[in-house]
């Protein structure tokens, strides 16, 4: 069993106390603590991650990395690998609050437009009864099966819980003020996303919670916006759907369009595009084995026994 030094402990404590950290922030912290740069001393960085994960595994925790589907940034965080009655006692959230959270997550992933968000009003109107009956139909809810704590969960309690979930990064607020999935949920529920029928991004094979849809209504292909940029940002790449061949109406951002024009005019001595650095970071993350997913859930985990249908028009949660 490898013994961790004070530097390992400091990194773990930082992730536990601050919550998920952006890759750049985590790399900066690593450099400050160890005096090594992940960019120039990748082996040392990977060794630190492996040793920390080996120690964390003894208490059923895991250091993971994931990509936030709203901003495309990679985040590092520590998650709980166990979902049992004992682990649930460690959460600060009550049973009705967890049911409210689950209802919001379900509503977001069922969005046929794959916008990855719902309005505040839709979130506050989530029916906790449906988490007991396992049905999305309000008329089918059997009120006799609903615990009093669910029936008495007031609108003000929902508002306070929503604010708390956003603050704790289980949920997030999008730039237009809607409710989205937080980075802690992307880290913690990744195995759950994979176990459901949420269509995956055709490029990275991760669940397409917030993604762009193929313009062909009969095609189910969806691609994350940051994956689209990597896929279609090169002049020689044909911008068509990889599934059905329909033209994909992707508009290059202004900076990328200018770079493409410069490339067409001749070789450029300018720096490589940001995507090149993103690719390098992603490879570093995968090499460190922190992107692997094991079966596990969090303090506010979703139970696999609840079922819904997820397609572009409907959803199934198992």
């Amino acid at each position: 069993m490898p013994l961790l030094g004070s530097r390992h402990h400091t990194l773990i404590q930082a992730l536990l106390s601050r919550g998920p950290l952006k890759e750049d922030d985590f790399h900066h912290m690593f450099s400050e603590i160890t005096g090594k740069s992940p960019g120039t001393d990748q082996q040392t960085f990977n060794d630190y991650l492996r040793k920390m994960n080996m120690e964390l595994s003894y208490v059923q925790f895991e250091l993971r990395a994931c990509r936030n589907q709203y901003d495309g940034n990679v985040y590092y965080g520590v998650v709980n690998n166990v979902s049992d009655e004992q682990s649930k006692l460690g959460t600060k959230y009550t049973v009705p609050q967890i049911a409210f959270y689950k209802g919001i997550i379900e509503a977001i992933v069922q969005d046929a437009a794959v916008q990855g968000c719902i309005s505040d009003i839709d979130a506050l109107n989530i029916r906790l009864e449906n988490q007991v009956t396992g049905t999305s139909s309000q008329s089918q809810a059997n009120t006799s099966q609903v615990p009093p704590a669910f029936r008495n969960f007031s609108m003000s309690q929902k508002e306070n819980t929503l604010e708390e979930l956003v603050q704790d990064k289980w949920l997030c607020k999008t730039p237009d003020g809607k409710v989205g999935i937080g980075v802690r949920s992307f880290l913690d529920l990744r195995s759950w996303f994979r176990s459901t029928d949420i269509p995956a991004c055709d490029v990275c094979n991760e669940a397409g919670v917030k993604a762009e849809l193929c313009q062909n209504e009969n095609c189910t292909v969806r691609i994350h916006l940051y994956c689209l940029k990597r896929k279609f940002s090169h002049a020689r790449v044909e911008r068509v759907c990889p599934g059905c061949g329909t033209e994909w109406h992707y508009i290059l951002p202004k900076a990328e369009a200018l770079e493409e024009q410069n490339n067409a005019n001749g070789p450029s001595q300018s720096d490589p595009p940001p995507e090149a650095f993103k690719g390098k970071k992603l490879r570093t993350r995968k090499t460190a084995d922190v992107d692997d997913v094991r079966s596990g859930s969090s303090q506010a985990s979703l139970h696999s026994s609840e079922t819904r249908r997820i397609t572009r028009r409907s959803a199934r949660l198992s």
Side-chain angles (χ1 to χ4, degrees):
M1 182 173 71
L3 297 177
L4 300 185
S6 59
R7 295 172 180 175
H8 298 88
H9 293 155
T10 302
L11 288 169
I12 293 174
Q13 289 168 1
L15 289 171
L16 289 173
S17 61
R18 302 184 189 184
L21 294 175
K22 280 186 179 181
E23 184 178 45
D24 288 344
D25 295 334
F26 185 66
H27 284 182
H28 177 73
M29 180 183 300
F30 178 86
S31 298
E32 290 292 319
I33 293 173
T34 66
K36 305 288 186 179
S37 171
T40 58
D41 200 344
Q42 180 178 325
Q43 186 60 48
T44 300
F45 180 69
N46 293 344
D47 288 343
Y48 263 77
L49 297 181
R50 277 192 287 268
K51 287 183 179 180
M52 288 189 291
N53 252 339
M54 290 180 68
E55 289 292 328
L56 287 170
S57 66
Y58 287 100
V59 288
Q60 305 299 326
F61 279 82
E62 181 184 358
L63 172 60
R64 291 182 184 174
C66 76
R67 193 174 292 276
N68 187 336
Q69 296 190 19
Y70 297 89
D71 59 20
N73 290 316
V74 173
Y75 287 78
Y76 286 83
V78 175
V79 300
N80 180 15
N81 271 337
V82 178
S83 176
D84 55 24
E85 294 305 317
Q86 288 74 27
S87 66
K88 292 175 187 176
L89 296 175
T91 178
K92 69 177 184 179
Y93 293 103
T94 64
V95 173
Q97 286 179 315
I98 293 175
F100 180 55
Y101 164 77
K102 288 163 58 180
I104 292 176
I105 295 294
E106 291 176 1
I108 291 174
V109 301
Q110 290 174 27
D111 176 28
V114 202
Q115 296 181 356
C117 60
I118 58 175
S119 67
D120 279 354
I121 295 177
D122 288 338
L124 294 174
N125 285 329
I126 294 292
R127 298 288 297 260
L128 272 63
E129 297 94 315
N130 298 332
Q131 299 302 319
V132 177
T133 62
T135 175
S136 60
S137 174
Q138 297 179 9
S139 62
Q140 295 178 9
N142 188 347
T143 56
S144 64
Q145 300 176 2
V146 180
F150 282 25
R151 293 198 299 266
N152 299 330
F153 199 64
S154 66
M155 186 62 69
S156 62
Q157 287 176 303
K158 286 184 176 180
E159 291 175 347
N160 292 335
T161 300
L162 184 59
E163 183 178 346
E164 196 171 355
L165 288 167
V166 171
Q167 183 177 353
D168 290 343
K169 300 181 181 179
W170 291 110
L171 299 175
C172 72
K173 279 299 186 74
T174 62
D176 56 357
K178 294 186 177 181
V179 179
I181 296 178
V183 64
R184 289 184 74 175
S185 295
F186 279 122
L187 277 166
D188 204 78
L189 299 179
R190 189 175 171 200
S191 57
W192 177 79
F193 288 141
R194 284 185 169 180
S195 67
T196 64
D197 284 341
I198 303 174
C201 169
D202 198 78
V203 174
C204 69
N205 204 34
E206 293 292 338
V209 176
K210 177 176 173 55
E212 301 293 315
L213 293 171
C214 173
Q215 283 74 25
N216 181 0
E217 293 185 358
N218 297 321
C219 180
T220 60
V221 168
R222 57 179 67 180
I223 303 176
H224 299 128
L225 182 58
Y226 47 85
C227 290
L228 273 177
K229 290 180 180 179
R230 290 200 300 268
K231 184 177 180 64
F232 292 155
S233 61
H234 303 291
R236 297 179 181 179
V237 174
E238 188 178 10
R239 292 167 189 163
V240 297
C241 174
C244 66
T246 301
E247 181 182 1
W248 201 293
H249 300 293
Y250 173 73
I251 301 176
L252 278 175
K254 192 172 183 180
E256 293 181 9
L258 181 60
E259 181 183 354
E260 181 175 312
Q261 182 179 356
N262 291 337
N263 291 338
N265 293 334
S268 173
Q269 301 299 322
S270 60
D271 293 334
E275 286 74 19
F277 294 101
K278 290 181 182 178
K280 290 180 181 178
K281 292 178 180 178
L282 185 59
R283 286 193 293 274
T284 299
R285 177 168 56 92
K286 288 186 176 179
T287 305
D289 290 330
V290 296
D291 203 26
D292 294 338
V293 176
R294 303 188 197 127
S295 259
S297 65
S298 68
Q299 300 169 337
S301 63
L302 296 177
H303 298 294
S304 61
S305 59
E306 298 173 350
T307 305
R308 297 184 190 276
R309 179 70 187 165
I310 300 180
T311 59
R312 290 185 65 174
R313 296 183 175 85
S314 60
R316 177 172 66 82
L317 297 179
S318 57

